[in-house]
Amino acid sequence: MFLLMELFYSGMADGDMLVLDEEESGHCAKVLRHSAGDMISVIDGKGTLMECRIVSASPRRVEAEVLSRTAGWGGHPYDLQMAVCPTKNMDRYEWFAGKACEIGVDSIVPVTGEHSERKVMKPERVQRILLSSAKQSLKGKIPEILEGSSVKDYISSCRSREERLKLVACCFEDGSRPRISIREALEGMPAECRAVSVLIGPEGDFSTEEVRLAVECGFIPVHIGPSRLRTETAAIAAVMAVYSHFLL
Amino acid sequence: MFLLMELFYSGMADGDMLVLDEEESGHCAKVLRHSAGDMISVIDGKGTLMECRIVSASPRRVEAEVLSRTAGWGGHPYDLQMAVCPTKNMDRYEWFAGKACEIGVDSIVPVTGEHSERKVMKPERVQRILLSSAKQSLKGKIPEILEGSSVKDYISSCRSREERLKLVACCFEDGSRPRISIREALEGMPAECRAVSVLIGPEGDFSTEEVRLAVECGFIPVHIGPSRLRTETAAIAAVMAVYSHFLL
């Protein structure tokens, strides 16, 4: 049994004072009926947990004094960026985002492949899910959702990022470099490397050209075993593989 | 890019002839407009893929002749039983079942713990999800959903099953045996052992007594890392750990 912890988020901390936004204030003052003098726990979304005392509470604005801070709260000893093509059905992408946050991810990039059916994605709903998932799983840092781009532009932007292990999960061999399992790729990385980027393709997989460009830019082509996984399942499997490598 | 494969299920094969039930017949003859003479692929749900030629097709009953059989189709080289307490919200359990099938699981047992909020579960919806997930992920075998029982009865029924690696994922140390990570437990199993049972508790975790009984009956207490995972996420993480151990 774990203690159920009630957690708020504030992006507005200034020195020793912070303000909850309208939605968080409503939840704090109206739903949970907190008032001046009560202690609350607040995350700043960047990794810090703050223990606070409420100074004034109205249903639209709660102000609190920060009494203590814990940095790196609920953090993990790696940096993981997941570049994942949006799924046709957005529910499945939102599900991926929530679960990835629960397990441990740092940033998500919605990328569009040449075979992607969905070309646009509104990040707002995913952002809300990440916030609620971070609070639910007691993490001080909310994963960032970065601006979308094409798969090729994303790959090119990674070319110079040599400090990261870069993996592209594809369902076919492109001929230039044989695939290894994602686990082998992680086990082969230098011990000092703790930053990983994983690129996951759309329902129609990558084009041969995309994989070729990825290999040219330093991505290692990997597979996630023989099962035929959907985009969002492959993405979660990759998050689990990284988490398992560093933490299990 | 993979070929999208259209797959039917029939539990009614007799010699070289088979019949699709009403729902599958409707999908085959009405939605996809198949008729006599067409070739279709059918799984028997027990691991075999059958290539068939339709003999007669009406929207309520399709009969076909089996031309060839492939056993162990889409199978995996391990046997995994997941005994997972139903979640308060059934959507999350159904999601677990679908994803577990996609990755690779053999049987699911809904068990009720002393701290379970949900005591009953209707297996019908889960069964439908398992069927659709097996077809979607191209597996000949549909995971079985076994009859529910209490956590303690389930544990006791496993006492004599010494051929299996039995793991209980708990969020606390019960004192009798320190927890190791699920990965360490899998790596420590004898090479010839390919059967694993994993027990996952409810939102309120196991009772101390349940864990004590499990240890007494040969279960190894394991953790799934520092992240605070929901029941269904912990269950999927365990399925991934087993899949990864045998296949990555």
Side-chain angles (χ1 to χ4, degrees):
Chain A
M1 276 183 304
F2 39 71
L3 218 65
L4 273 177
M5 190 173 179
E6 157 199 312
L7 212 57
F8 301 95
Y9 160 72
S10 168
M12 297 174 283
D14 184 12
D16 284 342
M17 292 301 293
L18 64 74
V19 178
L20 302 186
D21 70 14
E22 201 171 318
E23 193 173 336
E24 294 285 288
S25 294
H27 189 63
C28 179
K30 221 157 97 187
V31 180
L32 298 169
R33 295 171 171 273
H34 279 301
S35 56
D38 286 2
M39 295 291 297
I40 54 171
S41 303
V42 184
I43 55 169
D44 69 352
K46 290 170 187 159
T48 298
L49 173 73
M50 298 170 283
E51 294 301 338
C52 309
R53 180 179 292 121
I54 295 179
V55 173
S56 71
S58 86
R60 304 186 67 169
R61 184 184 172 92
V62 169
E63 292 183 30
E65 183 189 2
V66 182
L67 303 181
S68 72
R69 289 185 163 81
T70 313
W73 188 71
H76 46 253
Y78 57 81
D79 180 273
L80 174 59
Q81 177 163 101
M82 293 295 303
V84 181
C85 290
T87 47
K88 272 180 281 184
N89 171 338
M90 271 308 291
D91 285 357
R92 297 195 278 114
Y93 204 81
E94 289 165 8
W95 168 83
F96 147 70
K99 291 301 173 202
C101 173
E102 208 177 312
I103 299 164
V105 72
D106 297 275
S107 54
I108 293 174
V109 193
V111 287
T112 311
E114 287 174 356
H115 299 162
S116 280
E117 286 193 38
R118 175 184 287 274
K119 306 281 184 190
V120 285
M121 194 193 95
K122 290 190 190 136
E124 293 77 17
R125 264 185 67 101
V126 178
Q127 243 147 2
R128 287 176 66 92
I129 281 163
L130 290 172
L131 168 58
S132 111
S133 182
K135 291 203 291 185
Q136 210 272 335
S137 58
L138 307 186
K139 294 186 188 298
K141 183 173 170 184
I142 304 167
E144 277 182 278
I145 172 139
L146 304 182
E147 208 170 325
S149 71
S150 75
V151 162
K152 284 185 170 172
D153 285 349
Y154 175 75
I155 291 170
S156 301
S157 77
C158 292
R159 190 190 288 268
S160 59
R161 304 185 71 180
E162 284 168 11
E163 78 291 359
R164 302 183 75 87
L165 180 73
K166 296 173 287 191
L167 308 176
V168 54
C170 44
C171 303
F172 62 92
E173 304 281 348
D174 98 306
S176 64
R177 185 171 171 171
R179 294 180 306 161
I180 55 176
S181 84
I182 188 167
R183 185 176 169 173
E184 289 171 287
L186 287 162
E187 285 169 358
M189 74 197 269
E192 70 278 11
C193 178
R194 303 207 144 254
V196 182
S197 298
V198 184
L199 179 55
I200 304 277
E203 274 93 347
D205 207 348
F206 294 111
S207 69
T208 325
E209 289 221 331
E210 286 168 336
V211 176
R212 203 169 291 153
L213 180 64
V215 171
E216 195 192 304
C217 291
F219 281 77
I220 302 173
V222 296
H223 66 76
I224 313 182
S227 283
R228 181 176 181 265
L229 304 177
R230 285 176 165 234
T231 294
E232 75 279 10
T233 319
I236 283 300
V239 175
M240 264 309 300
V242 172
Y243 174 82
S244 169
H245 178 73
F246 287 105
L247 287 165
L248 292 184
Chain B
M1 277 184 303
F2 39 69
L3 218 66
L4 272 179
M5 188 173 181
E6 158 201 312
L7 212 58
F8 301 95
Y9 159 73
S10 167
M12 297 174 283
D14 185 13
D16 284 342
M17 292 300 293
L18 64 75
V19 178
L20 301 187
D21 70 14
E22 202 172 318
E23 193 173 337
E24 294 286 287
S25 293
H27 189 64
C28 179
K30 221 157 98 187
V31 180
L32 297 169
R33 295 173 170 273
H34 279 302
S35 56
D38 285 2
M39 294 291 298
I40 55 171
S41 303
V42 184
I43 55 169
D44 70 351
K46 291 170 187 158
T48 298
L49 173 73
M50 297 171 284
E51 295 300 339
C52 309
R53 180 180 292 122
I54 295 179
V55 173
S56 72
S58 86
R60 304 184 68 169
R61 184 183 171 92
V62 169
E63 292 183 32
E65 184 189 1
V66 182
L67 304 181
S68 71
R69 289 183 163 83
T70 314
W73 188 71
H76 46 251
Y78 58 82
D79 180 273
L80 174 59
Q81 177 163 100
M82 293 296 302
V84 180
C85 291
T87 47
K88 272 180 280 184
N89 173 337
M90 271 307 291
D91 285 358
R92 297 194 279 114
Y93 203 81
E94 290 164 9
W95 168 82
F96 147 69
K99 290 300 173 203
C101 173
E102 209 177 312
I103 299 164
V105 71
D106 298 274
S107 54
I108 293 174
V109 194
V111 288
T112 312
E114 287 174 355
H115 299 162
S116 280
E117 286 193 38
R118 175 183 288 275
K119 305 281 184 192
V120 284
M121 194 193 94
K122 289 188 191 139
E124 292 76 18
R125 264 185 67 101
V126 178
Q127 243 147 2
R128 285 176 67 91
I129 283 163
L130 289 173
L131 167 57
S132 111
S133 183
K135 290 203 292 186
Q136 210 272 334
S137 58
L138 306 186
K139 294 186 188 299
K141 183 173 169 183
I142 304 168
E144 277 182 279
I145 172 139
L146 303 182
E147 208 169 328
S149 72
S150 75
V151 162
K152 284 185 170 172
D153 285 350
Y154 175 75
I155 292 170
S156 301
S157 76
C158 293
R159 191 190 287 268
S160 59
R161 304 185 72 181
E162 285 168 11
E163 78 291 359
R164 302 183 76 84
L165 180 74
K166 295 173 287 190
L167 308 177
V168 54
C170 44
C171 303
F172 62 92
E173 304 281 349
D174 98 306
S176 65
R177 184 170 172 173
R179 294 180 307 161
I180 56 176
S181 84
I182 188 167
R183 186 174 168 174
E184 289 170 288
L186 288 162
E187 285 170 357
M189 74 197 269
E192 69 278 11
C193 177
R194 304 208 143 253
V196 183
S197 298
V198 184
L199 178 55
I200 303 277
E203 274 93 348
D205 208 347
F206 295 112
S207 69
T208 324
E209 290 221 330
E210 286 169 336
V211 176
R212 204 168 292 153
L213 180 64
V215 171
E216 195 192 305
C217 291
F219 280 77
I220 302 174
V222 296
H223 66 76
I224 313 181
S227 283
R228 182 176 181 265
L229 305 177
R230 286 176 165 232
T231 295
E232 75 279 11
T233 320
I236 283 300
V239 174
M240 264 308 301
V242 172
Y243 174 82
S244 170
H245 178 74
F246 287 104
L247 287 166
L248 292 184

